[in-house]
Amino acid sequence: MAGHAHKKPRVETATSGQNDAVFEWDEKLTSAMTPGARAFEEQMHGGFNEDPETGLVYTGIPGYGLVQISHDLTTWTRIGDDERLKGNIHGIVFFVHGGEKYLAVAQNSDERVLILQLNGVVKQELAKPAGTEFAFQEANDYYKQYGEGEKGKIFSCTDVTYHNNTLFVVTGYCAGDFVLTAVEEGGEWKWGTLAWGGKGDAPGQFKTAHGVTAYEGHIYVANREAHQVNKFTPGGDLVEILKGVPEGARICNIAKPEHDDFFIFNPLEVLTKEQDTPDRYPIYCWAADKVISTVIPGDLGIPVLRHCHHVWPHYVRAADGNRQLYLLIHGWNVGKFAVLKHVPNYAHPKM
């Protein structure tokens, strides 16, 4: 009818998930990745961590370097000029030690752990243990068989976390499949005496210890090829193998949203023919011994993404103090960065 504007039909945004964990693709924040980093996006094979005080997120892009992402996820800044930071940062942790803020990064291909200031200055490098440090003979015997400086998937560290003045390093990409610890003495980080695990099927052993995170006084390990998430005391005693992890799920990493009551488990893939297609790799939201939501990024129209190598929960604080939850995805196998937004656009209690 003349004189009346025609309204455009509302386009429904695709969502995925169930219960209180439903997400959509945030294309705008995904596109905020700087062109410099985007040029190396297909090489992505790492993860994220953040400073909970500032909300700044840190990640590594192979060939490009260490990146700081603003709290609102709109600005990417490369930090540090050390060439070592261009190696693959497979795992990363922010931590406060002795009143100072640091990052530690696990570089699987370069077989080292770097300890850095937040400006990207490398303070120390931890290389392969000598095999004399640990009160765990299996770890000592493994490292003793290799010469000093020898490399070649000997100390292929996959992730690192921090708890109670100690760094916990997992080494899942090699035959020495351990949790190792490092402690600071006199201003220098050294391998500690505590280690556990080893390659195998026995309780407390690993079949690719891929991810590690500390939460509420425990150490959680993503035991990828055993299709498990293992919960340990900080002293290495197995507390439990978490129930309700889907059969065949090759869990890569574990994360806990601070203000929500579920964990994030991201499997590299699900080993069932019905789901083993490039667009079906899920993100599990897990609570109380069961998956409460299965988020399928392939249902959201995200191009390129094949494998969710790491998924990190991040809250953006609004001016009114409310929080919006996002999931940051570090893709692998042709790479991909993507951001998912929790829907409906709900408000957490103010901080």
Side-chain angles (χ1 to χ4, degrees):
M1 183 180 296
H4 291 270
H6 292 282
K7 290 184 178 181
K8 293 183 179 180
R10 183 174 183 271
V11 178
E12 294 291 337
T13 302
T15 62
S16 184
Q18 303 80 40
N19 300 312
D20 292 328
V22 177
F23 293 84
E24 65 184 13
W25 179 31
D26 193 310
E27 191 170 358
K28 182 177 180 180
L29 289 178
T30 299
S31 66
M33 186 182 200
T34 186
R38 184 79 67 188
F40 295 88
E41 184 181 22
E42 66 179 15
Q43 300 181 39
M44 290 178 69
H45 186 199
F48 307 91
N49 214 272
E50 74 177 79
D51 178 346
E53 181 182 20
T54 63
L56 296 174
V57 178
Y58 297 89
T59 191
I61 309 293
Y64 183 69
L66 181 66
V67 173
Q68 179 191 87
I69 307 173
S70 62
H71 159 259
D72 62 4
L73 304 179
T74 62
T75 305
W76 288 52
T77 305
R78 182 165 55 180
I79 54 176
D81 56 8
D82 194 304
E83 285 296 309
R84 288 173 289 183
L85 298 178
K86 292 183 179 180
N88 188 45
I89 296 175
H90 193 275
I92 184 170
V93 67
F94 165 90
F95 65 101
V96 179
H97 181 78
E100 299 293 331
K101 294 181 176 183
Y102 297 96
L103 298 171
V105 301
Q107 295 188 295
N108 60 304
S109 298
D110 295 302
E111 303 188 50
R112 64 192 177 206
V113 176
L114 301 179
I115 295 125
L116 310 91
Q117 296 175 330
L118 296 193
N119 60 2
V121 172
V122 177
K123 299 298 292 182
Q124 191 178 338
E125 176 178 328
L126 276 174
K128 174 184 67 66
T132 59
E133 301 92 341
F134 305 112
F136 184 51
Q137 196 58 44
E138 184 177 342
N140 285 335
D141 290 344
Y142 172 77
Y143 290 111
K144 277 181 183 176
Q145 65 184 314
Y146 301 106
E148 184 177 353
E150 185 177 352
K151 292 188 177 182
K153 290 202 170 181
I154 298 168
F155 174 57
S156 297
C157 47
T158 44
D159 203 4
V160 56
T161 195
Y162 176 89
H163 172 71
N164 194 25
N165 298 315
T166 303
L167 290 171
F168 293 80
V169 179
V170 288
T171 61
Y173 278 0
C174 51
D177 207 344
F178 301 109
V179 176
L180 308 178
T181 60
V183 294
E184 183 263 330
E185 296 179 1
E188 182 180 0
W189 286 89
K190 301 178 180 179
W191 293 116
T193 59
L194 177 63
W196 73 86
K199 188 80 73 178
D201 296 310
Q205 291 186 315
F206 305 115
K207 297 175 70 175
T208 308
H210 191 277
V212 63
T213 192
Y215 177 70
E216 290 192 341
H218 290 91
I219 306 299
Y220 291 79
V221 177
N223 191 2
R224 194 184 72 184
E225 299 310 310
H227 314 144
Q228 297 173 351
V229 175
N230 299 158
K231 179 180 178 181
F232 294 92
T233 68
D237 296 321
L238 180 64
V239 176
E240 64 174 321
I241 298 171
L242 298 192
K243 302 178 181 65
V245 175
E247 184 178 357
R250 302 169 67 201
I251 305 297
C252 278
N253 288 286
I254 307 141
K256 173 64 174 67
E258 182 180 1
H259 304 291
D260 283 275
D261 295 328
F262 53 82
F263 282 80
I264 301 292
F265 299 159
N266 58 282
L268 185 63
E269 59 188 274
V270 173
L271 298 179
T272 59
K273 290 183 179 180
E274 292 77 11
Q275 294 178 296
D276 190 15
T277 58
D279 62 348
R280 304 305 299 174
Y281 301 123
I283 299 167
Y284 296 129
C285 301
W286 179 97
D289 293 339
K290 63 183 179 181
V291 172
I292 64 167
S293 179
T294 300
V295 180
I296 307 293
D299 289 345
L300 303 179
I302 305 171
V304 180
L305 181 67
R306 289 180 57 87
H307 300 278
C308 295
H309 187 262
H310 189 262
V311 177
W312 181 254
H314 174 77
Y315 297 91
V316 171
R317 295 184 291 270
D320 62 4
N322 290 322
R323 296 179 291 258
Q324 173 66 54
L325 174 63
Y326 293 88
L327 299 183
L328 311 185
I329 297 177
H330 219 290
W332 173 75
N333 190 8
V334 301
K336 181 61 184 177
F337 168 73
V339 179
L340 306 187
K341 181 180 181 180
H342 188 253
V343 292
N345 195 358
Y346 71 113
H348 279 286
K350 294 182 179 181
M351 300 185 73

